[in-house]
Amino acid sequence: MPADADTYAGFRVGKPLVVAIDGPSGSGKSSVSREVARRLRAAYLDTGAMYRAVTLHCMTTGVDLTDSPAVESAARTIDLDISTSPDQESVLVAGSDVTAAIREPAVSSAVSAVATTMGARAELIRRQQALIAGSGHRIVAEGRDITTVVAPDAQVRILLTATEEARLRRRGDQLGGTQSEEQLKRQVTERDAKDSTVVDFQQAADGVVTLDSSELDLDQTVTAVLEIVRAVAN
Ligand SMILES: Nc1ncnc2c1ncn2[C@@H]1O[C@H](COP(=O)(O)OP(=O)(O)OP(=O)(O)O)[C@@H](O)[C@H]1O
Ligand SMILES: Nc1ccn([C@H]2C[C@H](O)[C@@H](COP(=O)(O)O)O2)c(=O)n1
């Protein structure tokens, strides 16, 4: 493609481009997707943050996470504002900044209750599709069901994987070595097992490209995703 005013890093800037990335916990979806979005001058959507925000909201307002109708109702009524700028991580619930609070281990341990409530999923999927449309379909969206349910028509669909060992090590490092091996397994392996009961993010669906990042560092993984985007979308 010739370099001109409409291209940036080899990609046409104005062209609709939805990049859907799924994968298990700790595979690097958020960090990789955010950087890919920056390089593509696209928006970025962390759909897991939306499940986390609903979970925290339930926890702080006394909603029983085992009460499916109540959890669904919380998902429908929550006043949730999530930034889709890759340069500004911000999640607001009723105007309060919960960006850091939704990453607390207590939320990570509880979030599967919301993720496995089908009514809550339907509402969050609807909101995610609206955010993708609102970006002008120029966005990198990541989660567990983006390639299959939220944006099955995305131009680029990737399943980002890594071995369990690599994912546990990454999450442990990310949390500054504060968590025991057992706590990490609860937040990563056990959570994936629960979430897998409602959505398949371990096997690539038809047409989805698998990228194993176990032996790659963050920068190499970003480069590999951009190569897939270039090959598939340009
Ligand atoms: N390829 C990589 N090599 C080394 N570290 C990585 C790599 N990808 C991501 N990381 C690091 O691993 C940690 C976890 O990554 P990240 O939070 O992006 O994973 P995730 O898949 O979004 O997890 P979750 O779904 O649980 O939110 C981060 O500290 C990140 O910097
Ligand atoms: N599209 C998505 C995104 C996330 N989830 C669930 C599964 C996770 O346990 C939880 C938090 O996600 P994370 O921040 O760890 O990526 O949300 C989902 O079911 N579907």
Side-chain angles (χ1 to χ4, degrees):
M1 180 195 302
D4 57 34
D6 295 334
T7 66
Y8 173 75
F11 297 96
R12 275 182 51 201
V13 170
K15 189 178 163 188
L17 175 61
V18 177
V19 180
I21 301 185
D22 288 326
S25 180
S27 59
K29 300 179 300 297
S30 311
S31 351
V32 170
S33 300
R34 187 182 294 280
E35 184 56 24
V36 167
R38 282 192 191 111
R39 306 245 190 126
L40 293 174
R41 301 233 166 138
Y44 162 65
L45 179 60
D46 175 354
T47 60
M50 299 173 73
Y51 285 89
R52 287 172 179 272
V54 173
T55 305
L56 179 67
H57 179 60
C58 289
M59 291 164 78
T60 53
T61 58
V63 171
D64 177 356
L65 285 166
T66 64
D67 181 346
S68 297
V71 172
E72 178 178 343
S73 170
R76 282 185 192 280
T77 55
I78 188 172
D79 174 5
L80 174 60
D81 182 8
I82 182 166
S83 163
T84 56
S85 162
D87 296 318
Q88 191 206 357
E89 186 179 0
S90 160
V91 182
L92 305 180
V93 172
S96 287
D97 190 342
V98 296
T99 314
I102 62 169
R103 305 288 163 196
E104 291 292 328
V107 175
S108 299
S109 297
V111 66
S112 296
V114 173
T116 56
T117 299
M118 297 318 285
R121 289 199 77 81
E123 171 61 18
L124 292 185
I125 290 164
R126 190 191 63 71
R127 292 190 190 212
Q128 289 154 14
Q129 289 171 333
L131 286 164
I132 291 170
S135 76
H137 296 273
R138 177 112 190 154
I139 193 163
V140 182
E142 53 94 0
R144 305 293 189 290
D145 58 351
I146 313 303
T147 61
T148 52
V149 178
V150 176
D153 297 330
Q155 284 87 347
V156 184
R157 296 187 298 151
I158 296 173
L159 182 72
L160 183 60
T161 63
T163 60
E164 183 179 356
E165 187 196 349
R167 294 186 290 109
L168 287 168
R169 190 180 56 245
R170 289 173 187 176
R171 183 50 41 85
D173 291 347
Q174 187 179 31
L175 295 173
T178 58
Q179 306 291 296
S180 68
E181 202 173 317
E182 201 178 307
Q183 286 171 313
L184 286 174
K185 281 203 164 162
R186 218 168 18 248
Q187 292 169 41
V188 175
T189 317
E190 287 179 24
R191 181 153 64 94
D192 278 347
K194 283 185 202 155
D195 297 336
S196 293
T197 61
V198 290
V199 61
D200 186 2
F201 50 84
Q202 311 278 7
Q203 307 280 339
D206 276 357
V208 175
V209 178
T210 300
L211 173 59
D212 184 347
S213 69
S214 310
E215 303 296 327
L216 305 178
D217 66 20
L218 193 53
D219 203 48
Q220 289 170 326
T221 311
V222 169
T223 301
V225 169
L226 288 170
E227 276 168 11
I228 295 168
V229 174
R230 211 182 297 270
V232 174
N234 261 338

